[in-house]
Amino acid sequence: QAHAFLDALKIFGLGFSWGGYESLAVNSNLSDRTIAKGPYEGPLIRLQIGLEDVEDLKADIAAGLAAAAAA
């Protein structure tokens, strides 16, 4: 499902932010973290929100969620 979500994104690029202005998404893993964790073990997508139009970003996320639900 995480891969389907990421593959469906058109505006979000894939990768980590190095201080740029574009929106990015990356599949994350918290298993190596020492922070408090909730009971959910599912996929985690980290989103860095850039300067694109808010409605366009919301539509892109909605398309990703629809693709993940269909996967």
Side-chain angles (χ1 to χ4, degrees), residues 6 9 13-16 24-28 44-48:
L6 292 171
L9 297 176
L14 300 179
F16 293 96
L24 300 169
V26 66
N27 196 5
S28 296
L44 174 71
I45 305 293
R46 179 178 178 175
L47 300 176
Q48 283 95 265

Side-chain angles (χ1 to χ4, degrees), residues 53-64:
D53 182 72
V54 173
E55 294 305 317
D56 290 343
L57 293 175
K58 288 167 53 176
D60 207 27
I61 292 170

Side-chain angles (χ1 to χ4, degrees), residues 15-68:
F16 293 96
S17 175
W18 295 97
Y21 58 86
E22 47 290 299
S23 293
L24 300 169
V26 66
N27 196 5
S28 296
N29 184 354
L30 295 180
S31 65
D32 62 342
R33 306 291 170 98
T34 58
I35 60 174
K37 300 175 195 165
Y40 183 63
E41 298 285 330
L44 174 71
I45 305 293
R46 179 178 178 175
L47 300 176
Q48 283 95 265
I49 306 302
L51 298 177
E52 297 87 356
D53 182 72
V54 173
E55 294 305 317
D56 290 343
L57 293 175
K58 288 167 53 176
D60 207 27
I61 292 170
L65 291 172

